Amino acid sequence: MKNYTAITTFILVGLTDDPNLKILLFIFLLLTYLLSVAGNLIIITLTLVDPHLKTPMYFFLRNFSILEVSFTTVCIPRFLYTMASGDNTVTYNACATQLFFVVILAVTEFFILTAMSYDRYMAICKPLHYTTIMNNTVCIKFLIGCYMIALIIVLPPFGMGFELEFCDSNVIDHFGCDAAPILKITCSDTEFLERFVFVLAVLTLLFTLVCVIMSYTHIIRTILRFPSVQQRKRAFSTCSSHLIVVSITYGTCIFIYIKPHAKEGVAINKVVSVLTTSVAPVMNPFIYTLRNKQVVQAFKDMIKRVASFSND
């Protein structure tokens, strides 16, 4: 017989015990969260109301922004509450729910980015067939497919996680419910689960990354054949924002998760996780808006409409 107690609550360690640093961290996270939500909501609104942004490219951008808002909302508000109230406890069910949505939203983002790269490939390499192939029905099927594949990937290891036993500690060395620190405190044998998750993560990243690389290999070849320098610049500008976001997303994910042993390197991952859940979602709206003339113009038009409406 195994001697263990059923865990009903976890205790989150957080990032620091220094009260002054906690205040600074709280302000920083609150500001980045508000900026992230505001920036992504602006993109969502613009792509819904502006007729010039009713294209597949902005359809995927809108849904990527929805994912970003959802992802940060799952992570940051709970951490802000913990720091403000001093209540570091979280129930087992709440922890499992947070972990599920964090992982499912993160995995879906990779497939959305892959769909966005395919959209750019069709727009630049197959412009005559673009509107026919990338119609509204196809875009919706792509979106549903991204979520369905993410569910298929996440559900098996997540279901296995419910079999974990906690007999020594319920203290999670993190500011949220993340897989690595949870596996660190379980007294169950996690070797198979860790290897299974590692294989799924590697396959997911490799598959999506190969698809993105293939799309951009064809895109770059096509752009270099354009006769006009102005055409080449315009084509590259439509892809550069997506490439920057892809680099940030893949880079941080590889650093955090692609490790054979989840029980190693939790401390450094906490800092990177803060950047992933706060800084990156703030950067993405600005990367897409400031580098995109259509979005900037749509934003100016919306401001003008709001100003004229308020004057009336």
Side-chain angles (χ1 to χ4, degrees):
M1 294 291 291
K2 293 181 179 179
N3 182 23
Y4 72 94
T5 305
I7 293 292
T8 56
T9 59
F10 290 108
I11 299 171
L12 301 172
V13 171
L15 287 172
T16 179
D17 293 325
D18 187 332
N20 294 323
L21 194 55
K22 275 187 177 180
I23 294 170
L24 290 174
L25 188 60
F26 180 87
I27 295 170
F28 170 76
L29 288 174
L30 179 61
L31 288 175
T32 54
Y33 176 68
L34 293 175
L35 283 171
S36 170
V37 171
N40 281 294
L41 285 178
I42 287 171
I43 289 178
I44 293 166
T45 304
L46 289 175
T47 54
L48 282 172
V49 301
D50 194 285
H52 298 102
L53 304 182
K54 299 288 186 181
T55 64
M57 174 182 172
Y58 296 108
F59 170 85
F60 290 118
L61 179 56
R62 176 169 68 248
N63 282 282
F64 185 76
S65 291
I66 291 170
L67 278 173
E68 290 281 77
V69 171
S70 304
F71 182 74
T72 53
T73 301
V74 168
C75 301
I76 300 300
R78 169 68 210 190
F79 188 31
L80 292 174
Y81 166 78
T82 298
M83 286 193 291
S85 65
D87 180 12
N88 292 344
T89 60
V90 57
T91 65
Y92 178 90
N93 290 336
C95 193
T97 302
Q98 185 188 51
L99 178 59
F100 174 77
F101 281 106
V102 165
V103 176
I104 199 74
L105 291 170
V107 173
T108 305
E109 279 195 8
F110 284 99
F111 287 101
I112 289 282
L113 287 171
T114 305
M116 292 169 78
S117 69
Y118 179 75
D119 170 71
R120 291 298 81 211
Y121 160 75
M122 291 302 304
I124 292 172
C125 301
K126 310 282 184 182
L128 298 178
H129 305 287
Y130 178 61
T131 53
T132 306
I133 296 174
M134 296 300 292
N135 55 57
N136 191 51
T137 304
V138 170
C139 290
I140 292 171
K141 286 181 178 178
F142 263 117
L143 181 63
I144 294 171
C146 290
Y147 280 98
M148 292 303 294
I149 295 170
L151 273 172
I152 291 168
I153 292 169
V154 170
L155 284 178
F158 192 79
M160 292 168 62
F162 282 110
E163 303 297 323
L164 297 176
E165 299 170 359
F166 300 89
C167 50
D168 297 323
S169 172
N170 67 335
V171 179
I172 298 176
D173 187 14
H174 210 278
F175 63 87
C177 294
D178 197 19
I182 291 174
L183 290 174
K184 186 181 178 182
I185 64 172
T186 181
C187 54
S188 300
D189 183 2
T190 62
E191 184 177 356
F192 176 77
L193 179 57
E194 288 186 44
R195 290 186 183 277
F196 185 42
V197 171
F198 177 72
V199 169
L200 287 176
V202 169
L203 290 177
T204 300
L205 285 178
L206 282 179
F207 173 75
T208 54
L209 188 58
V210 166
C211 289
V212 170
I213 290 171
M214 286 176 63
S215 293
Y216 276 100
T217 300
H218 288 290
I219 287 169
I220 291 168
R221 284 178 180 173
T222 302
I223 291 174
L224 291 176
R225 288 199 295 265
F226 286 172
S228 166
V229 175
Q230 193 64 32
Q231 281 181 308
R232 290 197 291 270
K233 284 184 178 179
R234 194 182 303 115
F236 273 121
S237 69
T238 63
C239 302
S240 58
S241 301
H242 180 251
L243 278 173
I244 293 169
V245 173
V246 165
S247 302
I248 294 170
T249 306
Y250 278 89
T252 53
C253 185
I254 289 169
F255 183 85
I256 296 174
Y257 294 108
I258 299 302
K259 301 186 303 297
H261 298 289
K263 297 184 180 181
E264 298 174 2
V266 173
I268 189 70
N269 285 354
K270 288 198 289 184
V271 178
V272 181
S273 294
V274 169
L275 299 177
T276 306
T277 55
S278 61
V279 178
V282 172
M283 291 172 61
N284 293 345
F286 290 102
I287 291 169
Y288 276 113
T289 54
L290 296 178
R291 299 178 63 84
N292 190 305
K293 291 180 181 179
Q294 277 186 296
V295 176
V296 171
Q297 187 58 48
F299 182 70
K300 289 179 180 177
D301 293 341
M302 187 178 72
I303 295 297
K304 287 177 183 177
R305 285 198 295 268
V306 171
S308 61
F309 179 78
S310 60
N311 290 332
D312 295 338

